[in-house]
Amino acid sequence: MDKVFISQLHVDTIIGVYDFEKESKQSLYFDIEMLSDIKPAAANDDINLALDYAKVSERVIEHATAKPVELLETLVEQLATIILTEFNTPQVTIRVSKPAAVAQANTVGVEITRTKAMS
């Protein structure tokens, strides 16, 4: 399998447990890696046969900004389900970074890998 990736997708959204975090948007950065067979798209030079990273990016931004959640863990689980359900990939790895969460750290975050359930 090949990999299609999105690196450092920037999203400003409301996320956090503490009251002050719920009052203003914070920056999140997403790194997303999806398994895909790129050969059909490449052979036909056809975006319709490709795992379209632009559409995945749009969907991530749309979901991350639609309804605030408190935990990064909740958000990445939701996004993994969306990507596995709506896009042609059997596996996704999502890493989200929240640079403003801990003053003494450059960034903190969560990374998960999820695989589509086989029927």
Side-chain angles (χ1 to χ4, degrees):
M1 274 288 182
D2 306 305
K3 293 180 182 176
V4 174
F5 69 91
I6 301 163
S7 181
Q8 295 294 289
L9 178 65
H10 178 228
V11 179
D12 285 326
T13 192
I14 302 289
I15 189 163
V17 175
Y18 304 107
D19 288 340
F20 71 89
E21 292 180 298
K22 297 174 184 180
E23 294 173 5
S24 60
K25 292 182 179 181
Q26 296 183 67
S27 290
L28 299 179
Y29 294 89
F30 294 90
D31 294 312
I32 304 168
E33 189 174 276
M34 300 159 288
L35 295 184
S36 179
D37 180 1
I38 70 164
K39 290 188 289 287
N44 294 286
D45 199 27
D46 186 351
I47 187 66
N48 296 308
L49 299 174
L51 178 52
D52 189 338
Y53 46 76
K55 288 183 180 177
V56 173
S57 297
E58 289 170 10
R59 188 66 175 96
V60 167
I61 293 166
E62 174 188 300
H63 183 79
T65 57
K67 183 181 175 203
V69 296
E70 291 188 348
L71 300 176
L72 291 177
E73 291 84 347
T74 303
L75 182 57
V76 294
E77 285 287 354
Q78 291 173 348
L79 290 171
T81 299
I82 288 168
I83 292 169
L84 290 172
T85 303
E86 297 180 13
F87 297 93
N88 186 22
T89 181
Q91 181 177 302
V92 62
T93 298
I94 304 173
R95 176 184 180 102
V96 60
S97 301
K98 187 177 176 185
V102 176
Q104 297 83 356
N106 185 39
T107 193
V108 298
V110 175
E111 180 176 315
I112 64 169
T113 298
R114 298 294 179 262
T115 303
K116 189 177 289 187
M118 297 307 216
S119 327

